[in-house]
Amino acid sequence: MSNSASPASLARDFERFKRELPRDFAAHVRDTYRVDLSARYLGESLAHPIGKGSGQLSLNAGQLETDADAGLAFTVLKTVIAQDVTGTQSMAAWAIHETRMKVERRGGGWTVTWKGRGWDRSFEDYLALVRAGRDLTRAGRLLAVPSVKYHLPRLTEVFRLDEYAFTTRALARAWGEAPLLLEKDFSPTLAGDQLAEEKQQILRWLREVPGRIRDHAEVRLAMKLMNARFDDAFQDEMIAAASDADALVVFNRLFDAQQGVAYGGPELSARNLRVLDRPPDGPNARPPLSGTGNITSGRAIVEYAVRGCSSVQLHTFFQLPLEEYPATDGSRTQRALHGLVFEPRDGLLAAMLEREAAGTLARRGGELHFLDLLPDAYRAR
């Protein structure tokens, strides 16, 4: 470890940045520590791997501006419910207004509980948000990705293709330049719905949805997979069925059937990492991955990376009580990034430098690379 990458210098930066995190902290990390944090999501290069998952923290332009100013790599917009040209939504039950979120401890970690589901405002309002995200993306300030919940039929039913057509085309027009980057949300509340009680029904969705979307626009598609109410082996089946996606977000929150809510915390990350530890069927059996679930430290980011995730999406960690962050100033996004990257024991930098010292991560051209944490099968993807 060079002098510039010493624990003492990391501790100094950690203290210094408590007051103000530089927006381009990834450049500082590269210059000071010779560590390249570059990451990927949906084929796009990112300055670092940390993004925000779809939800209540990405439903207006002000939130996007705050995240861009903080130096967040990417954000996934609140999930809109697909509709046809008349405004009819077959999945209208997911467009529920309930903004109250409860941040609480569960299983020794943090989770956010709320019963709201998708976008509950007008579709035109959502298109305006997409355009705001598009402008930030083109300015190089923040990659913004729309998220959609499309019609999911029962096994004996047909897809409502009019909803796929109208929604996809409208989003593509709002975005302008092709391809449209898009996330298809298989939400945790879906896991608790009667629709998701049959395995073959779920597998049909995962196999057929990408084609239904791509029929209507040039789309680069990520599918955010739910934690189904079946065993770990079925999660593998879901990954295999979704192989036509351009990326997978693995995996959405767990569902508490008794309380009727989705939840996170250590139980979620334990299952996600356990499933990702299962060997894939072949070297290219899984699309590129983005990890999510109970990511509250840079060390947790590394745990997802070594299992194939070239980026991560957080939600709960951006909502903790202010006293839970070591930073004393800045937005919650800035405070979260500060702790995730610079914390001297469990931050991303510390975890990568620790692996270098242990001989499990080597420098190339004098630099450590975040993407070198990934298994060989994922590095070129």
Side-chain angles (χ1 to χ4, degrees):
M1 186 183 299
S2 67
N3 290 334
S4 63
S6 68
S9 62
L10 182 53
R12 283 194 299 270
D13 274 348
F14 178 65
E15 290 300 321
R16 180 160 62 110
F17 295 150
K18 283 182 177 180
R19 296 180 296 277
E20 184 178 8
L21 180 71
R23 185 197 179 280
D24 196 358
F25 62 84
H28 170 82
V29 166
R30 192 165 191 171
D31 290 343
T32 304
Y33 301 91
R34 307 306 298 160
V35 174
D36 181 358
L37 296 179
S38 297
R40 290 192 302 268
Y41 178 57
L42 263 180
E44 296 294 311
S45 295
L46 306 170
H48 61 83
I50 305 167
K52 179 177 285 185
S54 174
Q56 298 296 99
L57 305 182
S58 52
L59 50 68
N60 62 60
Q63 291 170 322
L64 303 188
E65 285 284 348
T66 297
D67 289 342
D69 289 343
L72 193 68
F74 68 101
T75 189
V76 182
L77 306 184
K78 177 74 172 175
T79 300
V80 72
I81 310 304
Q83 63 179 56
D84 64 18
V85 67
T86 69
T88 300
Q89 297 171 309
S90 59
M91 306 290 279
W94 271 264
I96 295 173
H97 176 73
E98 185 171 341
T99 59
R100 184 176 179 273
M101 296 181 287
K102 184 178 181 182
V103 182
E104 57 189 346
R105 288 196 174 274
R106 178 165 181 150
W110 288 97
T111 187
V112 174
T113 302
W114 80 100
K115 295 182 181 179
R117 297 183 177 186
W119 183 263
D120 63 340
R121 305 174 192 176
S122 75
F123 189 60
E124 282 303 317
D125 284 347
Y126 194 80
L127 295 179
L129 181 64
V130 170
R131 288 189 286 268
R134 171 203 65 192
D135 292 345
L136 289 170
T137 299
R138 291 180 185 166
R141 298 180 59 207
L142 175 74
L143 176 66
V145 178
S147 173
V148 186
K149 184 182 294 297
Y150 290 93
H151 172 243
L152 297 173
R154 297 189 180 279
L155 203 53
T156 57
E157 296 175 341
V158 298
F159 284 85
R160 302 276 183 91
L161 297 182
D162 50 351
E163 294 185 12
Y164 279 77
F166 176 79
T167 301
T168 306
R169 290 170 184 170
L171 291 171
R173 286 194 300 270
W175 192 258
E177 297 178 1
L180 168 67
L181 270 61
L182 193 64
E183 193 171 286
K184 165 67 181 88
D185 182 16
F186 289 88
S187 72
T189 48
L190 175 64
D193 192 86
Q194 290 182 350
L195 270 176
E197 289 181 347
E198 292 188 35
K199 290 182 178 180
Q200 291 307 312
Q201 196 158 268
I202 296 171
L203 297 178
R204 177 200 178 194
W205 299 337
L206 297 174
R207 285 192 296 264
E208 297 187 24
V209 160
R212 304 290 186 225
I213 296 171
R214 293 191 183 112
D215 281 343
H216 307 292
E218 184 180 346
V219 174
R220 200 182 299 161
L221 180 67
M223 297 216 288
K224 188 172 188 178
L225 302 186
M226 63 185 172
N227 267 295
R229 290 177 293 158
F230 302 107
D231 60 15
D232 291 356
F234 185 68
Q235 295 297 114
D236 279 341
E237 290 186 58
M238 290 171 62
I239 293 173
S243 61
D244 196 33
D246 296 294
L248 299 179
V249 184
V250 286
F251 298 96
N252 222 322
R253 301 192 305 158
L254 300 168
F255 188 76
D256 185 325
Q258 288 187 330
Q259 295 186 34
V261 296
Y263 67 96
E267 188 179 344
L268 171 60
S269 55
R271 188 187 200 209
N272 288 357
L273 296 176
R274 186 176 68 239
V275 170
L276 293 176
D277 273 334
R278 296 169 65 92
D281 293 335
N284 297 310
R286 294 174 178 172
L289 304 178
S290 184
T292 190
N294 190 43
I295 298 171
T296 58
S297 69
R299 191 172 298 278
I301 295 172
V302 169
E303 290 300 319
Y304 277 93
V306 299
R307 292 165 173 83
C309 298
S310 58
S311 63
V312 292
Q313 301 184 16
L314 290 69
H315 193 267
T316 298
F317 195 66
F318 293 117
Q319 300 181 73
L320 302 186
L322 288 180
E323 61 270 18
E324 293 295 322
Y325 300 109
T328 56
D329 289 290
S331 66
R332 273 189 169 80
T333 305
Q334 288 173 309
R335 296 179 192 220
L337 290 170
H338 164 260
L340 290 167
V341 175
F342 291 101
E343 207 283 329
R345 293 172 302 279
D346 291 320
L348 179 56
L349 263 176
M352 290 180 66
L353 294 171
E354 182 181 290
R355 284 180 173 262
E356 179 190 18
T360 58
L361 183 63
R363 293 182 182 262
R364 289 188 291 110
E367 292 183 336
L368 294 179
H369 295 260
F370 170 78
L371 289 173
D372 284 353
L373 291 166
L374 276 63
D376 290 343
Y378 292 94
R379 290 188 189 180
R381 305 173 66 198

